[in-house]
Amino acid sequence: MDLNYTSEMEKGLGQSRGMNYEEYGRSLEKQIHVEKLRDKEYHDAKSVASEMNSQIPK
């Protein structure tokens, strides 16, 4: 898999997931795991934002 990434992306993946892009690109299982975590975090954040927006007086 040919991945194009910046040093900031490499740093972010290392800090948040504990792996580098080379390791990520070699393992389909790791890619699936990371993408499932990202999807869960996205939905969790969207839920929190929605809850906070509903509590703001208009």
Side-chain angles (χ1 to χ4, degrees):
M1 175 180 217
D2 186 27
L3 297 171
N4 295 322
Y5 55 90
T6 65
S7 60
E8 290 83 13
M9 293 166 64
E10 177 84 28
K11 183 178 176 182
L13 184 63
Q15 289 177 343
S16 66
R17 308 291 178 219
M19 68 179 79
N20 59 33
Y21 268 91
E22 182 179 336
E23 185 178 358
Y24 173 82
R26 283 185 298 192
S27 173
L28 181 59
E29 290 82 19
K30 288 183 181 185
Q31 291 175 27
I32 291 169
H33 178 71
V34 166
E35 296 310 321
K36 282 183 178 180
L37 287 173
R38 286 181 179 166
D39 190 56
K40 181 185 179 321
E41 290 170 355
Y42 168 78
H43 288 290
D44 290 348
K46 196 171 179 181
S47 175
V48 167
S50 177
E51 184 179 326
M52 290 178 69
N53 284 336
S54 71
Q55 294 178 3
I56 295 174
K58 297 187 179 190

